[in-house]
Amino acid sequence: MSSKLVYWFREGGESMRSLLGGKGAGLGEMTHMGLPVPPGFTITTEACINYYNLGENMPPGLKEDIETYMKELERVTGKDFGGAKDPLLVSVRSGAPISMPGMMDTVLNLGLNDQSVMGLWQATNDLRFALDCHRRFMQMFGNVVLEIPHSEFEKTLGQVRRAEGAAYDHEISPDGLKKVIQGYRKLVKEQAGVEFPEDPMEQLYMAVLAVFRSWNNERAIIYRNINKIPHDLGTAVNVQVMVFGNMGLDSGTGVLFTRNPSTGENRLYGEYLMNAQGEDVVAGLRTPVPIGQMREELPAVYKEIETMAALLEDHYKDMQDIEFTIEHGKLYILQTRTGKRTAQASLEIARQLVHEDRISKKEAVRRVKPEEVSRLLHRSVDPGATNQLLAKGLPASPGAAVGTIVFDSDTAERIGQEQKVILVRPETNPDDMPGIVHSQGILTSRGGMTCHAAIVARGMGKPAVVGCEGMRLDMDARQARFGSLLLNEGDTVSIDGASGNVYLGEVPLVEPILGDAFKEILQWADEFRRLGVEANADTPDDALKARELGAEGIGLCRTEHMFMAADRLPIVQEMIMAESETDRRAALDKLLPIQREDFRVILKAMRGYPVTIRLLDPPLHEFLPKVEDLLVRVMEMRGANAPAAKIREAEILLREARNLHEQNPMMGLRGCRLGLLWPEVYEMQARAIFQATAALFKAGYTDVQPEVMVPLVGQANELEILRGLVEKVAAEVKAEEGVDFPVVIGTMIEVPRSALTADEVAHHAQFFSFGTNDLTQMTFGFSRDDAEARFLHRYLELGILKENPFAVLDRTGVGKLVKMAVELGRSTRPDLVIGVCGEHGGEPTSVEFFHQAGLNYVSCSPFRVPVARLSAAHAAIKEDQA
């Protein structure tokens, strides 16, 4: 740990990112490059960590360091901090090691007081400018440092604006601004119980601590949880000399991306505002103009921006998000960072950079996040949709979303967990983060393509339409007006983040079309990964979709899902209620040709790849109506004097449902236990598999590869008996059909005992496939449905669990069983093929674990296949780099 808590920008750089944060590292790097960066210093992330370790107190010596650095800054600039003549003012900004845009706090114009505001007036000869800077500072400081709601300041400002008949803040007169400032002083006294601080050093100390505090505000914690950013990194604080974009029509401020963050197109993309400060652009309070317009308005500055953007992108070898200010025609660069982008843009930019010989294919694959690939699979608006177009805004983040409109973050958070909602706001701010998380998409009436809503939505892969000026909001009445049409909270709208269109009602959505960048990046990923990727698929359509998305086989075909179809369920119920083996076989004879055709179509669709078919594994009661419903039906039939035969039929069904009712169905008569109790069921399924295989072999499809999986084995002799049954059926089919084909039999490891005795089980298995969903349930002793509905959220809040173990594999417990089973199984059978077919097979960090554990493949739902392919490549690249 460094004992030095403060660094000049010129002392830092990208190699010190963990200590100086992303913003501080970028400012240091740009200073070394000779770019026009206003001078300043960075207070380290270690100072923030110390602050929390000390019970949220200023670390020893930090005050003295800040004072020393400020004196040197006064000497360098020739200005006095808070002075009466040409005062030195600073910005105080956060900067975490990993970019968290908008999640933490900033204070601008710090150092203003009754004395220095007069000095600023004299230095600029612009009273209105000086007073506007003062009111902005008081508003930001009051909100960020004194924690007074932003809306309270807006009320005061709005009252003066309306009294003067001004349409916008910048039209308020100097006298009006003086009233605003006096109103702010009164507000601070009432809300915070203190006088607004006049001492600039006190302002600075308080602002630094407020930025430290913002590391653990609600929106920052939510953002870190979503993006899996560690909570112990801390934030740095950057203190930088202020430059002003609101000093007249030759001044301005803006944000630009070196490439289009929505599409990846290689051209400057961004916005700016003349006579404005940075908060005006990112807060969405004024609608900025496209950066290209500066080519006509300020051609010399635009050319300089182009040059600096090219320099920064070439230096970082990635698309950059750059904040700049123009003060009296002079350009200053305030920040550069790797730009947030949509999933489509992420892949396109990575591909471009490879073709431009700036990065390698391996680096391109490493940069694309698995969740970005997942987002590309989201649907869009059907071009043939006929819904009424309500309005058109700016297409800030692509994708389509449908939901009921809500007008505040709290409501979105509350009901968004149960139903689909669209968060509708004048503009979003970081405090809206909880609502954004639980919304399907975002719609705002103000803001531009670089406003908070746009940036956050792109980063989270959520559709967003911003700056929708055709929408008029009444937040008090909770209504949105589109022309003559008035919508209330709870009405349904659809938004298209690719076009900016807003539609009335629920529009039909269509499946995505995957572009060249998607295909090329995943082809590169396949070159680096060593883990196979298969899919869980129960129908021919699922199999074809999986193959289209790059699956190398089917790792789990769940036969019980095939039995639930309306035309099959009565036959299954007939089988369950059979009173003898003869009657049961009669029902199974009806199911045999149906199952055979199922398997024939799926095997043909996946020819050339293995298809692992799991024999029946549900609790039998799932095929029958609920006991309560049947009891009501019987009583109603008796009361209505229904025919005796019908009543008798319903009574038998009720009796069987009661007989099959189990106290804990998950651990009852299911899996191989069913096969041992009613072997004729597994005989029928094995016969259907092998008859389908024989038919395909005869038709010339000799590359079909069925594999039979026996579920829920806990003891080796369970598998031994059922393996013998399956082999006997295979031999019979071969003899009947005159066809020879390979027979592959394995088991699903989902009971802890089978993992602990995997060396014994492997004597009878050619493959293992971990069913991590049930293995997790049985290892923890949790019922997934009950745990997620009742107490798992509390475990996560208390830190008992870091992740939901049903979403992210529990490496410590379940993972230990997996590793043990791999080692024991291969000690008996070195060529044992091992995979995983639980939902964890498509979760990136779990895929990394399976790679490390030496598995041969993972299997997941078809739409998670691209995620698994990329995750497997990441795991291999990470291992190679280590």
Side-chain angles (χ1 to χ4, degrees), residues 378-406:
H378 292 173
R379 295 173 294 176
S380 58
V381 171
D382 186 337
T386 57
N387 295 58
Q388 178 183 345
L389 179 65
L390 295 175
K392 190 176 182 70
L394 299 174
S397 183
V402 178
T404 56
I405 57 178
V406 297

Side-chain angles (χ1 to χ4, degrees), residues 527-598:
E527 294 176 18
F528 301 118
R529 67 179 168 90
R530 297 190 284 276
L531 199 61
V533 177
E534 300 182 11
N536 302 339
D538 312 318
T539 67
D541 286 345
D542 284 347
L544 290 170
K545 174 57 69 176
R547 188 158 186 170
E548 176 189 330
L549 294 173
E552 300 161 321
I554 292 178
L556 177 62
C557 178
R558 293 156 289 205
T559 55
E560 59 273 9
H561 288 195
M562 300 172 174
F563 287 175
M564 292 293 189
D567 60 331
R568 305 171 187 205
L569 192 56
I571 305 174
V572 177
Q573 291 176 346
E574 179 185 337
M575 176 195 75
I576 293 171
M577 293 187 296
E579 296 184 354
S580 68
E581 181 181 331
T582 302
D583 291 342
R584 192 156 40 249
R585 285 189 180 276
L588 290 170
D589 286 345
K590 298 177 186 177
L591 286 173
L592 175 62
I594 298 172
Q595 282 268 275
R596 181 172 59 227
E597 181 61 14
D598 288 336

Side-chain angles (χ1 to χ4, degrees), residues 614 617 666 670 712 748-752 771-780 782 806:
R614 182 175 73 184
D617 178 33
M666 188 188 82
R670 49 173 291 212
L712 215 72
M748 180 181 273
I749 306 290
E750 50 195 321
V751 176
T772 52
N773 299 349
D774 271 354
L775 188 58
T776 298
Q777 292 194 97
M778 294 188 179
T779 301
F780 275 94
F782 290 169
F806 297 107

